[in-house]
Amino acid sequence: MATMIEAETVSPSHLGQIKDNGVVGIREIPQATKPSLLVIHDEGEECIVKAFADVLGQSWMPTTSVEEACAGVHSTIYGLANTMVGSQLESWGRSRLLINTKCVDRGHRLDEGLTERCDYEYLYTKSPFFRRDVARFLSFILGQIGHHRDLAERARTTLISTTFPDVHAALPNLDILSVGADAVEIRVDLLEEPLNDGTVSAVPSLKYVGEQVMLLRQRTELPIIYTTRCTNENGRFPMDDPELFYQYLSRAIQWGCEYIDVELWLPEDIRRRLAEKKGNSKIISAFHDFSGSFKWTSPQAEELFERAAVYGDVVKMIALVNSMQENYELEYFRSIIQTKYPHPPFSGLNMGPMGQLSRTLNKIFTPITHPLLPMIAAPGQLSAAEINQALHTMGQVPRLDIYGIGSFRSTTQAMFFEKCFNELSLPHQFKFVERAPRASVENILKRPNFGGAYINPPLAAAAPYLPALSDAARAIGQVDTVFVRTETGRQTFIGDNVTWKGIRATLSRDFVPSAYGGRAALLLASAEADAAAAIFALKSLGIGPIYTIGFRPHGSMAGDVEPVRSVEDVKRLEQPFVIISALPAEKSLLVVPLLKHYRVDGRNGTAKTSGKVFVDLASGPRKGDPLAIATSAGWTSYGDADVSAWTTVETMRQLVGQNVPFDFVRLASGRSFF
Ligand SMILES: O=C1C[C@@](O)(C(=O)O)C[C@@H](O)[C@@H]1O
């Protein structure tokens, strides 16, 4: 079977994997095949089926019969109005993934029976419509993006526990709230659905919860943790009917929530049924003890872990404590558990002021709060800034100099890094260094507080002073980021390339990865070096032929591309699904004739094969605006500002291990950094 290559991020746990030649191994994942979907929609709402098909890069057809859809072409997306469903779903082969869709703009009515017979449910608004939310939902439920795998590789992860009674209140500040968070928790039990009599419901209805989850997901790229915390564990969900938990949690799976929090007190049968149904969602198996008498040293603690591990992809154990000693006991427990059970990851915390030390030492999904939240979700909770400060004081986060090494000074960029360091109370300093022609990078690496650098323009990957390279840096032949790992007291500099990740993230913002599978791409550049990261990004998406214009490929990727040499060649090309221009700004208008030739609605375009995505990597002043021209010719277009913002997100993760949301970067920068 064909495979897409997936370049791994190098993290501490990967150091052991660095091969003799200093290259980190690549993992291969199966090539995503075109999914087969049947989409149920409201009467007159075929547009959502079309949007799904477009995001998937597949064709679609309306139908009135489930049987017709099942007999139809596997990769055609079928749309069926909910008024036509009748009894058709009572016995059918389930040969397609069945998704119920609902527009909530003017209020909606629930058809519980229909939702339950579907695999997934997608709630949306048309004004505004969030195409990127469709892409995220589909990529996730189809298993084409893997937050959990990415998070499992990080040295530390956090979740922001939102405590709003109504998600609307969170939206204006969501970007700033989530700086430093790797996931966002929606406390469903704390939602307050207003009732007609002026009171709020004891348990918010599924209709209300669905809209709240939709709202949150529309505005954050972070994975969502969906929590129904019970009354015994500092929450508000009543415990008299465990089936209520099943109903709410299984619906969260259907809505495509990345994580569901399943409490360990729930009957085994419910936990098992949720595990069987979870699809790509992950289960956080959670246990809280508020008695104040829980003992980490007791045999019961390990038994609880073992029980939680049966269905948990993460085990979370939290106890209210009264003494410092209990933090030491927890750390002992943590080290035993981690040695004995490599899987699932363990998140262990102590609550209350005495437990705060454990909130700084825990490494998996540490819950954080933020001063802008209405209340803390649990006693003793700390913000990301407080945790970083404490870690610094304890010598766990030393003060480092993070460098921007380049041929021009960018004050915007320096300000952005400093802003993030301040927001997160990181002790680091950002330093910009002009790149001298000879050996300057090597000298910077030797400076005493060197903590990592991004380098623009990038270095040749062959630089002898970089003993280890990520597979991406080696394949692309360029290092744009150097990060430092310290293992058993020894420092290693690792040369990486993150630009390709910025390009890939841009390409997968409005389309699922499989939309690119087997399709043609056209890449323009004046030099091979300018195109290399884009080629790697396209290959990682399993793209078909990559046609190139403007340079002669010689390097390691020469075998992956097909140079176009003449106008005759252009005429013979397969219609490109994506065009990327890596031409310098002054030449960027050269792409315009191609954008027009392959325009979506022009004589070359048909609904099935038309070009879709245009990325212009040029930065700086230019004549004309290829992006505007592309957009008016029907292309989904992205500029350097988008790619740079995604690249900055990756750079921050790589250099300081912190997650900063894309929208925050875009907002803070306003323009390109790199
Ligand atoms: O389980 C947890 C941890 C928590 O209880 C805390 O102690 O920070 C906060 C809750 O929102 C979350 O679901």
Side-chain angles (χ1 to χ4, degrees), residues 503-515:
I503 298 171
R504 184 187 152 124
T506 305
L507 293 172
S508 19
R509 188 172 163 86
D510 294 306
F511 292 88
V512 304
S514 65

Side-chain angles (χ1 to χ4, degrees), residues 159 161-163 185 187 190 225 227 229 233-234 261 286-288 290 316 318 349-351 359 365-368 377-381:
L159 63 92
S161 327
T162 61
T163 47
E185 176 182 55
R187 282 287 300 270
L190 297 183
I225 300 177
T227 303
R229 187 69 64 239
E233 302 193 11
N234 203 31
D261 181 298
F287 166 83
H288 292 75
F290 278 84
K316 177 162 72 177
I318 305 193
L349 293 170
N350 283 329
M351 283 179 295
R359 291 186 184 266
F365 275 153
T366 304
I368 52 173
Q381 245 188 4

Side-chain angles (χ1 to χ4, degrees), residues 45 47-48 102-107 122-131 133-134 168 211 214-215 218-219:
E45 284 289 322
C47 52
I48 191 67
K102 272 248 153 269
C103 177
V104 307
D105 276 339
R106 287 175 301 278
Y122 184 72
L123 305 179
Y124 63 99
T125 49
K126 281 208 293 194
S127 44
F129 181 68
F130 291 85
R131 186 191 160 105
D133 186 53
V134 175
H168 282 100
E211 288 180 33
M214 173 201 73
L215 265 179
Q218 284 176 341
R219 313 299 167 112

Side-chain angles (χ1 to χ4, degrees), residues 179-307:
V179 171
D182 298 295
V184 53
E185 176 182 55
I186 178 163
R187 282 287 300 270
V188 172
D189 56 295
L190 297 183
L191 294 175
E192 293 182 355
E193 179 179 14
L195 299 177
N196 290 338
D197 63 3
T199 61
V200 293
S201 63
V203 174
S205 67
L206 276 173
K207 178 171 179 283
Y208 184 74
V209 175
E211 288 180 33
Q212 294 274 310
V213 170
M214 173 201 73
L215 265 179
L216 183 61
R217 191 171 56 197
Q218 284 176 341
R219 313 299 167 112
T220 179
E221 83 235 25
L222 292 179
I224 290 180
I225 300 177
Y226 176 104
T227 303
T228 48
R229 187 69 64 239
C230 72
T231 46
N232 249 7
E233 302 193 11
N234 203 31
R236 297 200 190 142
F237 240 57
M239 299 172 72
D240 45 0
D241 178 15
E243 272 301 322
L244 188 72
F245 287 79
Y246 179 79
Q247 199 191 3
Y248 277 69
L249 291 166
S250 66
R251 194 54 51 84
I253 295 171
Q254 288 185 295
W255 290 328
C257 289
E258 287 81 0
Y259 292 90
I260 57 168
D261 181 298
V262 180
E263 295 178 342
L264 192 56
W265 68 272
L266 286 165
E268 143 93 22
D269 166 60
I270 287 187
R271 290 183 288 118
R272 183 183 40 75
R273 278 156 58 209
L274 287 168
E276 283 164 4
K277 188 177 175 171
K278 72 179 180 181
N280 293 309
S281 299
K282 299 291 174 201
I283 290 180
I284 300 180
S285 197
F287 166 83
H288 292 75
D289 189 311
F290 278 84
S291 68
S293 56
F294 181 78
K295 282 267 147 271
W296 291 105
T297 47
S298 69
Q300 186 214 358
E302 192 168 338
E303 277 161 32
L304 283 166
F305 176 87
E306 283 175 352
R307 212 149 60 76

Side-chain angles (χ1 to χ4, degrees), residues 118-153:
C118 293
D119 299 301
Y120 292 97
E121 182 166 80
Y122 184 72
L123 305 179
Y124 63 99
T125 49
K126 281 208 293 194
S127 44
F129 181 68
F130 291 85
R131 186 191 160 105
R132 73 170 172 172
D133 186 53
V134 175
R136 169 189 171 156
F137 171 76
L138 290 174
S139 302
F140 176 71
I141 64 163
L142 296 170
Q144 297 188 16
I145 46 174
H147 297 282
H148 186 61
R149 195 192 51 229
D150 295 344
L151 292 181
E153 288 172 353

Side-chain angles (χ1 to χ4, degrees), residues 20-34:
D20 293 346
N21 60 2
V23 181
V24 176
I26 57 170
R27 179 175 46 200
E28 297 195 335
I29 56 171
Q31 164 102 51
T33 49
K34 303 280 178 212

